[in-house]
Amino acid sequence: FLKGKPFFRQIMENFTNFLMIALFLYFIFEIPGKALLLNFERIGGNRFDEYPLNLLTGLLIFTIVSIISYYFRLKIETLVSIQLIIIFLAFIYLLKQIKFEKKILLNLKGIEYLLIFAAIFFIYTFSNISTLNTDAKHSDYWYFLAQTRSYISGDINNFFPYGYEVTNSYYPFNTYNSLLALISGTLSIDPTIVYEQIKIIFLLAL
């Protein structure tokens, strides 16, 4: 079932990667999305109402950047630089615009933080068990990994990743593939790990 490493060590290594990827996704989507939406009139509501809209707006921003990357066949290093600049500018803008107030989470006690962390780790562990086995992966798994690796080693393009410049008519301008390459290229985490962990992050986010 688990080859080469004890179960707990495997879980902890995967959980570390999970936290890094989740935090990076937060900065990719939440920060730019919140910065952009500050320029528009907001509908009243509690702070938790803002997060889905911020994330969707951040996803829209990344989608535009991703399409530009495909169009100009940018290197993954260029995409990483562009995205980091967007995050930096958005963060600076937020620092200037937002008057920092005490958020709901900041009022939690230490034991409550611990319980939240324990709950996430518990759910993650049981969600992650099914992804530790690398056998019997479906065909899309191998395609997405091949496409992601081709972006990292070459450039972001609309060709199939099999060595021939054949136009990819199935998944043109695929934001998911460019996102996997961005995470893997920025955090230096193997695409196989990114692919598995991001599924769990999206599952928990729901």
Side-chain angles (χ1 to χ4, degrees):
F1 176 60
L2 294 175
K3 301 177 182 179
K5 294 182 180 179
F7 175 76
F8 184 74
R9 180 182 175 187
Q10 181 80 14
I11 287 291
M12 291 306 299
E13 288 183 0
N14 284 351
F15 189 60
T16 300
N17 290 323
F18 165 82
L19 291 178
M20 291 175 60
I21 296 171
L23 184 61
F24 188 60
L25 286 172
Y26 176 84
F27 278 99
I28 291 175
F29 298 141
E30 174 70 18
I31 301 300
K34 187 175 185 64
L36 181 62
L37 288 177
L38 279 179
N39 293 293
F40 298 91
E41 183 178 357
R42 302 299 303 277
I43 300 174
N46 63 57
R47 294 191 178 279
F48 288 111
D49 293 336
E50 298 179 2
Y51 294 130
L53 190 55
N54 292 340
L55 292 175
L56 288 175
T57 305
L59 176 59
L60 174 61
I61 295 172
F62 176 74
T63 299
I64 295 173
V65 174
S66 177
I67 292 175
I68 294 173
S69 299
Y70 277 102
Y71 185 80
F72 291 102
R73 297 188 61 171
L74 300 180
K75 297 287 186 180
I76 187 62
E77 293 84 3
T78 305
L79 176 59
V80 170
S81 299
I82 292 173
Q83 196 61 43
L84 290 179
I85 290 173
I86 291 175
I87 294 172
F88 175 77
L89 293 177
F91 188 73
I92 295 299
Y93 179 78
L94 289 176
L95 287 178
K96 292 182 178 180
Q97 297 296 322
I98 296 177
K99 294 181 179 179
F100 289 98
E101 303 171 358
K102 287 187 176 181
K103 307 296 190 301
I104 295 176
L105 290 178
L106 295 181
N107 293 325
L108 295 177
K109 299 178 181 178
I111 186 63
E112 293 171 325
Y113 278 114
L114 182 60
L115 289 175
I116 291 174
F117 181 84
I120 293 176
F121 183 76
F122 178 81
I123 296 172
Y124 169 83
T125 300
F126 282 91
S127 300
N128 193 46
I129 288 176
S130 63
T131 71
L132 294 178
N133 186 1
T134 58
D135 299 329
K137 296 295 185 182
H138 53 79
S139 58
D140 281 349
Y141 172 85
W142 303 111
Y143 162 75
F144 283 126
L145 288 183
Q147 194 75 70
T148 301
R149 290 188 187 280
S150 72
Y151 291 168
I152 295 174
S153 61
D155 55 42
I156 301 172
N157 58 71
N158 271 320
F159 298 121
F160 280 109
Y162 306 123
Y164 305 97
E165 290 200 350
V166 178
T167 301
N168 185 345
S169 57
Y170 292 112
Y171 305 102
F173 301 99
N174 191 297
T175 301
Y176 184 62
N177 283 335
S178 58
L179 178 62
L180 293 176
L182 173 68
I183 296 172
S184 182
T186 304
L187 302 180
S188 299
I189 300 177
D190 191 89
T192 57
I193 298 175
V194 175
Y195 181 85
E196 296 293 359
Q197 299 303 315
I198 202 171
K199 291 189 302 181
I200 301 175
I201 293 171
F202 289 158
L203 176 63
L204 293 176
L206 295 176

